[in-house]
Amino acid sequence: QITLKESGPTLVKPTQTLTLTCTFSGFSFSTSGEAVGWIRQPPGKALEWLGFIYWDDDKRYRPSLRSRLTITKDTSKKQVVLTLTNMDPVDTATYYCAHILGDYPMYWGQGTLVTVSS
Amino acid sequence: EIVLTQSPATLSLSPGERATLSCRASQSVHIFLAWFQQKPGQAPRLLIYDASKRATGIPARFSGSGSGTDFTLTISSLEPEDFAVYYCQQRIDWPIFTFGPGTKVDIK
């Protein structure tokens, strides 16, 4: 059974750096084409892809966030980490991590709400 | 960037009725389109991928069709648990896998 869970701060101040951890189980993250991605959803709004990291450490980022976003993985710890710098109130959202196969998010974490406010 | 448009924004139906949801892409995505269901306070759940393939554990009342720019999600007979928001998502415009704005299916 594949599960993912996001963890990290619920409140960050403007200009601070957000670090979220996705801890997963049920897959080894060694299958060709496998990835873990991050998707966010501002309150009451639609979903937005942020980026993802493949089993071979290849990474893809949303172009508009490329200068601020880093995604890394530690397969031995079964974790994927998202770092988003220079946070702004418009970054307030529920952040989801997801297990991706065939470039579709097949399994999702429960999400974590991050509020950006001073 | 490929833009996905969903219609209608809201669909008001009764249990047992048939629901037909539309997703239109600003350019061809071939068959590389998925549908997700999201209930309040929950993560989205994958229903359909590659336009017409049901994900694991998804009931047969959910079906997807279409290719190119026009896609349809059909729920043949609405169950009480099907009232939710539905999103389409394309995966051809890599790495910007855009989602549509969503269609809310609510109880009439």
Side-chain angles (χ1 to χ4, degrees):
Chain A
Q1 180 189 3
I2 290 175
T3 64
L4 306 98
K5 187 173 184 178
E6 307 85 355
S7 60
T10 58
L11 178 66
V12 298
K13 290 181 168 52
T15 75
Q16 286 187 337
T17 294
L18 172 68
T19 300
L20 294 176
T21 300
C22 174
T23 303
F24 59 84
S25 64
F27 62 99
S28 61
F29 210 175
S30 58
T31 302
S32 177
E34 203 167 33
V36 171
W38 289 93
I39 299 153
R40 69 182 178 184
Q41 186 173 35
K45 296 188 178 180
L47 299 156
E48 179 183 67
W49 276 96
L50 302 180
F52 46 97
I53 184 166
Y54 285 99
W55 88 104
D56 61 358
D57 212 40
D58 192 16
K59 300 162 192 176
R60 295 292 181 262
Y61 299 130
R62 186 177 190 86
S64 61
L65 295 175
R66 191 170 287 138
S67 63
R68 300 171 52 208
L69 178 63
T70 304
I71 299 174
T72 60
K73 66 178 176 68
D74 185 332
T75 306
S76 64
K77 291 184 178 179
K78 291 187 175 293
Q79 291 181 334
V80 171
V81 176
L82 172 148
T83 303
L84 189 61
T85 62
N86 194 24
M87 292 289 283
D88 183 273
V90 300
D91 295 313
T92 294
T94 296
Y95 287 74
Y96 297 99
C97 63
H99 177 249
I100 297 167
L101 272 179
D103 288 335
Y104 292 115
M106 295 280 184
Y107 299 93
W108 296 61
Q110 63 189 25
T112 185
L113 175 62
V114 178
T115 302
V116 184
S117 174
S118 56
Chain B
E1 179 176 326
I2 294 177
V3 176
L4 299 178
T5 304
Q6 291 187 243
S7 61
T10 303
L11 190 56
S12 297
L13 295 168
S14 300
E17 288 193 294
R18 183 184 188 88
T20 303
L21 287 68
S22 174
C23 178
R24 178 164 289 178
S26 59
Q27 61 191 78
S28 176
V29 298
H30 300 290
I31 63 163
F32 301 126
L33 188 110
W35 290 93
F36 297 84
Q37 176 194 66
Q38 187 178 34
K39 298 179 182 178
Q42 296 186 17
R45 177 175 70 146
L46 178 67
L47 300 175
I48 302 287
Y49 65 98
D50 285 350
S52 62
K53 298 176 182 175
R54 267 192 303 276
T56 303
I58 302 304
R61 64 180 181 273
F62 292 93
S63 63
S65 63
S67 65
T69 60
D70 290 297
F71 299 85
T72 300
L73 174 70
T74 301
I75 310 171
S76 59
S77 177
L78 282 163
E79 297 287 338
E81 62 268 28
D82 298 338
F83 292 93
V85 179
Y86 292 84
Y87 295 96
C88 57
Q89 175 242 321
Q90 60 81 18
R91 72 158 187 86
I92 196 171
D93 191 20
W94 184 82
I96 306 177
F97 295 154
T98 47
F99 289 90
T103 289
K104 183 179 182 180
V105 179
D106 65 15
I107 300 176
K108 188 173 181 180

